Amino acid sequence: MKSIDVKGTARTVTGKKASRDIRKAGAVPCNLYGEVKGENGLPVAQSFSATQEELRKLVYSPDIYSVNLNIDGKVCKAIMKELQLS
């Protein structure tokens, strides 16, 4: 499986208005599931944003990639499971 590096920025503010502001700035709001577990042991979504240019290589490709995701210096491995276009 091919791999690709994507840099992201953690976001603390979530919701419709915050996501709209991120999109206006040319970035894409994203969620990472499974990396962090809550106190009850269930996965907690980690919200981050990445630029459109970073994600374009991943989304518009016929290949499946393993993603080396760098969120504010913390590196983790991920795969793109779902994509929503609005």
Side-chain angles (χ1 to χ4, degrees):
M1 182 182 295
K2 297 179 181 181
S3 67
I4 190 168
D5 295 327
V6 174
K7 293 180 183 174
T9 305
R11 56 188 180 114
T12 55
V13 181
T14 59
K16 185 187 277 188
K17 184 178 182 322
S19 294
R20 190 176 8 206
D21 292 340
I22 289 171
R23 287 187 191 102
K24 282 182 183 178
V28 179
C30 307
N31 288 315
L32 175 65
Y33 294 98
E35 183 71 19
V36 179
K37 305 260 188 221
E39 58 222 23
N40 56 3
L42 296 175
V44 176
Q46 182 179 358
S47 298
F48 68 98
S49 63
T51 62
Q52 292 177 357
E53 291 77 28
E54 290 277 333
L55 296 176
R56 183 171 285 133
K57 300 177 281 186
L58 176 65
V59 173
Y60 298 110
S61 171
D63 300 323
I64 298 172
Y65 287 100
S66 162
V67 180
N68 298 320
L69 188 56
N70 183 346
I71 303 173
D72 292 338
K74 181 183 174 193
V75 179
C76 60
K77 286 206 168 271
I79 59 169
M80 184 174 64
K81 188 104 173 177
E82 183 180 342
L83 174 68
Q84 295 178 354
L85 301 173
S86 55

